[in-house]
Amino acid sequence: MGKLLKVKNLTKIYYEGSIANKVVDDISLEVDEGEFVMVMGASGSGKTSLLHLIAGIDQPDGGKISYLQSSAAGDREIDFGHMSEKAKAMFRRSNIGIVFQQQCLIPDLTVYENIMLPMMLDRKRKEKISMKDRILELCEQFGLKEHAGKYPSQLSGGQQQRAAILRAIVNKPPVLLCDEPTGSLNSAQTDIVMEILEELNRKGQTVVLVTHDTKVAVRGKCIIYIEDGRAEGELRFDEPAGKEPYKQREEELMSFLQKRGW
């Protein structure tokens, strides 16, 4: 597995009058293909701002964001942070899937139509199977096939979030960015959503997920801790095993967080 994302000395500044607030402060990190990275930190620490920069939603004030693409001609490094907004949007359609805490489904479109939208926008894609088959295959795989004709208001919060995930992955982007995707869900719905993300990761999907929930965080492979806009530590887990696969990870994570004032 090679590198997929490189962030070098990334900085984002917001101004309140003449006062500069560095919400992202000189952060550097790398993400490999197939990783499941959790970004943790207290409220206001800068973790969501970091994700928005990586997604191209916000423009950095300093540093570099690079996506790496492999092909028969060799590896190519894309300087994503300094693209024009139009070029970012074009790149994002095929290369970055985004899932938010609030599902942001279009209320006047059915589940099927919401999932279809990214495929319609990315008209240059050439699929071996039809658009309809691709969408229905995903819906069936993740328990939404019988809800495909419903509108978002007719679904539970967990079902809406599943639909949002399917919309984000329908174009098979190399990386999936998730901003507190379980933040508004109950524990049962959270388990379902995390099982979907884990299954996608097992199949090779790279995931970067922002969370404040330790029970969600232990289901990743790596924790990056953000404090006051800076990366203040990294924790990598061994593969879970046994009847309680995440118990040891929870102990490791709590020790890691407590050393950082959690």
Side-chain angles (χ1 to χ4, degrees):
M1 293 288 184
K3 299 295 179 190
L4 179 61
L5 170 66
K6 291 183 179 179
V7 173
K8 183 71 173 176
N9 304 124
L10 195 62
T11 300
K12 179 65 180 177
I13 303 172
Y14 289 113
Y15 289 89
E16 297 179 9
S18 60
I19 300 173
N21 179 24
K22 282 189 178 181
V23 292
V24 175
D25 188 0
D26 197 37
I27 287 181
S28 296
L29 59 89
E30 295 183 350
V31 176
D32 291 337
E33 292 177 303
E35 276 205 287
F36 197 148
V37 178
M38 299 288 184
V39 181
M40 296 194 75
S43 179
S45 60
K47 55 189 187 294
T48 292
S49 295
L50 172 63
L51 198 78
H52 284 187
L53 291 169
I54 294 172
I57 296 171
D58 289 336
Q59 181 73 17
D61 292 303
K64 188 175 181 180
I65 305 164
S66 300
Y67 283 91
L68 285 81
Q69 294 182 324
S70 297
S71 67
D75 294 339
R76 185 165 68 109
E77 186 170 318
I78 310 296
D79 187 359
F80 183 65
H82 293 96
M83 283 182 174
S84 68
E85 291 304 312
K86 183 177 180 179
K88 280 183 181 178
M90 294 294 291
F91 180 83
R92 190 163 46 224
R93 285 178 189 172
S94 298
N95 294 280
I96 305 172
I98 307 173
V99 180
F100 298 99
Q101 179 176 344
Q102 303 302 324
Q103 297 84 6
C104 301
L105 298 172
I106 299 174
D108 295 331
L109 298 182
T110 65
V111 168
Y112 178 92
E113 291 166 341
N114 267 281
I115 298 170
M116 178 178 65
L117 189 59
M119 297 185 85
M120 294 292 291
L121 292 172
D122 195 15
R123 293 175 182 273
K124 294 182 180 180
R125 289 183 55 81
K126 295 180 180 178
E127 292 286 350
K128 292 182 180 179
I129 61 174
S130 73
M131 184 185 299
K132 180 179 179 180
D133 288 344
R134 167 74 175 156
I135 295 168
L136 293 180
E137 178 185 40
L138 285 172
C139 286
E140 183 170 19
Q141 185 178 358
F142 296 113
L144 287 177
K145 187 172 182 179
E146 58 187 47
H147 302 293
K150 295 181 180 179
Y151 292 94
S153 61
Q154 296 173 298
L155 305 181
S156 69
Q159 290 167 339
Q160 288 184 38
Q161 195 60 287
R162 272 184 272 168
I165 292 170
L166 299 192
R167 181 182 59 186
I169 66 168
V170 70
N171 279 342
K172 302 180 182 178
V175 63
L176 179 62
L177 306 178
C178 304
D179 187 9
E180 299 276 9
T182 63
S184 60
L185 304 181
N186 62 34
S187 59
Q189 292 170 337
T190 292
D191 279 341
I192 292 170
V193 167
M194 290 309 302
E195 285 168 9
I196 288 173
L197 293 175
E198 286 176 300
E199 177 64 17
L200 290 169
N201 181 248
R202 281 191 290 270
K203 292 180 177 179
Q205 177 71 62
T206 304
V207 183
V208 180
L209 187 152
V210 165
T211 185
H212 65 275
D213 188 336
T214 56
K215 292 190 179 298
V216 167
V218 294
R219 300 175 82 150
K221 297 177 180 176
C222 170
I223 307 290
I224 295 173
Y225 186 75
I226 306 294
E227 184 176 0
D228 296 330
R230 300 184 66 88
E232 295 291 352
E234 181 178 307
L235 173 65
R236 290 190 174 272
F237 294 121
D238 294 327
E239 287 299 317
K243 293 182 179 179
E244 297 181 82
Y246 299 113
K247 186 174 181 180
Q248 183 177 346
R249 284 188 176 188
E250 288 177 5
E251 293 172 356
E252 290 179 37
L253 178 58
M254 290 312 299
S255 175
F256 172 82
L257 293 175
Q258 286 168 1
K259 289 176 182 177
R260 287 156 181 82
W262 181 266

